[in-house]
Amino acid sequence: MSRSAVLEAGIDYVDQHGLGELSMRRLGAFLQVEGMSLYRYVRSREELLDAMVDRVMDQLYADPSVLLGPGDDWDDFLRRIATGVRRVAHTHPQLFPLVATRHPAAPWIRPPLRSLRWVEGFLSGLLARGFSDEAAIYAYRAFGSFLVGRLLVDVAAAGVSPGKTVAQAEQVTSGQSPDSPVEHLHGTEVDLQAFPTITRLADKLAVEDLGDEFDDALETLITRVDRARRALT
C-alpha cells in the first residue's frame, strides 16, 4: 500500500462506479483494507479528490503529444492542451466533472480545471510566449469556457450527469459525505506560494466579467455561423 496505489485505486473506483459513490470506506473495501487505514496516505476525502485530479492532470505533462518546446507558438500550445484535456475527459468521464470545478484552496479562480499546477502552467506558458497579464487571463477564461462547456457535453453524451456528479462529490453536511457514513473531513492545505503566477495575478483572476465574456463568445459564434452560411449556400 502506498499513496500512489490509493490514488490509482480511487481513479479506478470512480471510473467503474461514479464519483458520487466514492467514500473512504468504500475505497478501503475496494482495496481490501479498512477505510480508516487510508488516512495514513490522505488526510481527508477532500485531499483524496484533489490528489486524484492532480494525478489525472499530470498525465498531460507526461504525454508526448502535449509536451511543447520553447520555440512552439501559443496557438500550438492551446491546441495541444485542449486535445490533451479532451483525452482526459474521454478516458475518465466519471471523474471529469470534478476536474472541471474550483480548487478549494483558491475558490476565487474560475474553472476550467481544479488542478492549480495546470492553471499555473497555462498562464506561465502564455506569458512566456509574449502575452501580457491581461491577455493571458482573457485567454484563460475564454479558453476555459469553451473547453469546459464542450467537454461537459461530451461526458454527458457518455451517460454522466455533470451537475449531479459534482454536487454529490462536493456535498459536505455536518461532516457527512453523500451515500457514506460520517467521515472526518479537513480542509486541503495548499501553499499558494508554490504557484507564483497564480499568486501574482490573484486580484485579476478574481475579477468576474461574465457579461463581457458572454458577448465576446456570442459574437464569435455568430461570425462562425455566418462563415458557414456563406460557404454552404
Side-chain angles (χ1 to χ4, degrees), residues 88-217:
V88 169
H90 282 216
T91 303
H92 305 287
Q94 295 284 355
L95 185 63
F96 188 75
L98 177 65
V99 175
T101 60
R102 303 170 190 253
H103 193 289
W108 35 267
I109 298 181
R110 291 200 9 237
L113 297 177
R114 190 180 178 101
S115 171
L116 293 179
R117 278 184 281 180
W118 187 92
V119 177
E120 178 76 17
F122 184 92
L123 292 172
S124 60
L126 291 182
L127 293 172
R129 288 166 174 79
F131 279 58
S132 67
D133 289 352
E134 290 74 14
I137 291 172
Y138 179 89
Y140 168 75
R141 289 175 169 166
F143 184 78
S145 296
F146 160 78
L147 198 61
V148 168
R150 177 63 256 177
L151 295 182
L152 287 179
V153 169
D154 284 5
V155 300
V160 178
S161 175
K164 179 180 179 182
T165 301
V166 172
Q168 288 176 327
E170 296 295 281
Q171 178 186 353
V172 178
T173 305
S174 301
Q176 187 170 5
S177 60
D179 303 321
S180 70
V182 172
E183 297 175 349
H184 299 289
L185 301 179
H186 307 282
T188 302
E189 296 180 7
V190 175
D191 182 5
L192 291 181
Q193 296 303 314
F195 307 99
T197 305
I198 290 175
T199 301
R200 184 174 65 81
L201 299 178
D203 291 343
K204 294 177 180 178
L205 285 169
V207 174
E208 296 283 0
D209 53 358
L210 298 181
D212 290 342
E213 287 183 35
F214 179 84
D215 291 341
D216 287 347

Side-chain angles (χ1 to χ4, degrees), residues 1-16 19 22 24 27-28 30-31 33 38-59 92 95 98 117:
M1 185 70 67
S2 64
R3 180 179 171 89
S4 177
V6 170
L7 298 182
E8 287 295 332
I11 294 167
D12 289 345
Y13 185 90
V14 170
D15 285 343
Q16 295 179 37
L19 193 54
L22 180 66
M24 301 297 271
L27 182 57
F30 187 68
L31 285 164
V33 298
L38 301 183
Y39 289 103
R40 295 176 55 191
Y41 308 101
V42 289
R43 291 172 295 175
S44 67
R45 182 172 179 271
E46 187 73 31
E47 182 178 302
L48 172 65
L49 295 175
D50 289 337
M52 287 165 52
V53 168
D54 278 338
R55 192 168 187 85
V56 167
M57 295 310 300
D58 281 348
Q59 295 172 7
H92 305 287
L95 185 63
L98 177 65
R117 278 184 281 180

